[in-house]
Amino acid sequence: MKKQNIITAIAGFLLLIVGVVFVCLTRTAALADTPSAGATMRFALSLILTLLGLVAAVAAFLPERKPTNIRTLTAAALFAALCYIGFTYFKIDIPVGSEKTAFHLGNVFCVLAALFLGGFWGGMAGAVGMTVADLTTAYVTSAPKTFLLKLCIGLIVGLVAHKVFRLNRDTQRKVPLTVATVLSCAAGMAFNIVADPLVGYFYKMYVLGVPQKAATIWAKMGAVTTAVNAVIAVIAASVLYLALRKPLKRTRLLPEI
C-alpha cells in the first residue's frame, strides 16, 4: 500500500470519528419537538461528514484509477446540476405524517450520468447533486441517506453498463444495445427500490428517532414513490442515452470506459 493511500486512509478514519462525535453532539437539538433550522443543518452536515470519512477510508484501499481529465470533471458537474434541478424543481411532495416522500426526476440524471461517465463519476454526480438538493429543501435530514444511496446507484449502473456490456465501446455484443442499456438502468433502479425504503426505515428510526409506526408508514409510501421514480428513470435515461450516444461518439465526447 502506497504512502499516499495510507495517509488518505488515516485521514478518512479521523474524519469518520469526528463525524460520529458531531452526530452525537448535534442529534438531540436536531430531533427536538421544534428544532431550529441551524440545528437541523448542523446535524445533517455531521452525518455527511461521517459518510465522507467512510468513503475516503474505503477509497484508499481501492485499485488505482486512471487520471481524470477536465472533460470528465466538467461533465460530472453538469450532471450533478441536472440531478439537483431534477429533484428540486421537478418533484411532487407527498406528506407522510411529519415526514415527506416525493415523485421526482432526479434519478433520471443520476442513472444517465453513470451510463455516460461510468459508475464512480456517475455516482458522485448523483450523490452530490441530490444531496445539495436535500440540504436546500425540506429534506435536509435525508441528505446523508441520499448521498449513500445515489452513489450506490451510480456504481451499480456503471458496473453493469461498462464492465458487463461495455456500453460506450463499439464492440460485437451478444446483447443488443437497447436491451443492454435498459438492463443497466434497471439494475441500479432495482437496487434503489429495495434499498431506499429499507435503509430509510432504519435511518429514520435509529438515527432520526422517528417512532416505529411512523417509520413503517413512511417506508410503505416511500416504496410506492421509489418504484414509480424507478420506472420513469429507466425509461427516460435509456431513451436519452440512446438518442445522445451516436452524436457524442461521432464528436469523440463519449468516453470509452
Side-chain angles (χ1 to χ4, degrees):
M1 190 175 185
K2 292 185 177 180
K3 183 179 179 181
Q4 184 179 355
N5 288 354
I6 294 173
I7 294 173
T8 302
I10 293 173
F13 282 120
L14 289 175
L15 197 62
L16 179 61
I17 293 169
V18 171
V20 170
V21 170
F22 274 103
V23 166
C24 296
L25 292 176
T26 57
R27 183 177 185 274
T28 302
L31 301 180
D33 291 335
T34 54
S36 66
T40 304
M41 181 67 77
R42 286 192 293 272
F43 177 60
L45 289 175
S46 299
L47 288 168
I48 292 173
L49 188 67
T50 304
L51 281 175
L52 288 175
L54 180 61
V55 170
V58 172
F61 296 94
L62 295 176
E64 289 189 13
R65 299 175 54 84
K66 293 181 180 179
T68 303
N69 58 43
I70 191 66
R71 184 181 294 173
T72 301
L73 289 174
T74 303
L78 172 62
F79 277 113
L82 289 171
C83 289
Y84 171 84
I85 293 169
F87 181 81
T88 304
Y89 298 105
F90 296 93
K91 75 173 184 292
I92 301 173
D93 291 321
I94 309 294
V96 184
S98 60
E99 301 295 316
K100 283 184 179 181
T101 184
F103 298 108
H104 63 86
L105 298 182
N107 288 341
V108 172
F109 301 106
C110 179
V111 173
L112 194 62
L115 292 177
F116 280 121
L117 304 177
F120 178 77
W121 284 112
M124 286 302 295
V128 172
M130 301 280 278
T131 298
V132 172
D134 278 354
L135 290 173
T136 53
T137 61
Y139 294 85
V140 60
T141 55
S142 297
K145 174 179 73 73
T146 295
F147 185 92
L148 180 63
L149 291 177
K150 303 314 173 189
L151 178 60
C152 290
I153 288 172
L155 291 173
I156 292 169
V157 173
L159 174 68
V160 177
H162 303 296
K163 300 302 180 184
V164 178
F165 295 121
R166 301 287 181 182
L167 214 57
N168 284 6
R169 296 177 180 268
D170 288 327
T171 55
Q172 196 72 25
R173 292 188 182 87
K174 295 180 180 179
V175 179
L177 179 62
T178 301
V179 176
T181 303
V182 172
L183 289 177
S184 300
C185 297
M189 287 297 94
F191 160 81
N192 200 49
I193 287 173
V194 176
D196 194 285
L198 187 62
V199 172
Y201 172 77
F202 289 107
Y203 176 77
K204 290 185 180 298
M205 268 187 57
Y206 296 109
V207 177
L208 300 183
V210 174
Q212 183 179 9
K213 184 177 180 180
T216 301
I217 294 172
W218 177 90
K220 289 178 179 178
M221 191 62 208
V224 175
T225 56
T226 301
V228 174
N229 292 337
V231 172
I232 294 172
V234 170
I235 295 172
S238 297
V239 170
L240 287 171
Y241 176 80
L242 292 170
L244 295 172
R245 184 182 183 278
K246 183 176 276 190
L248 288 176
K249 191 78 175 178
R250 188 169 57 248
T251 54
R252 298 182 180 179
L253 291 175
L254 187 69
E256 289 194 356
I257 302 168

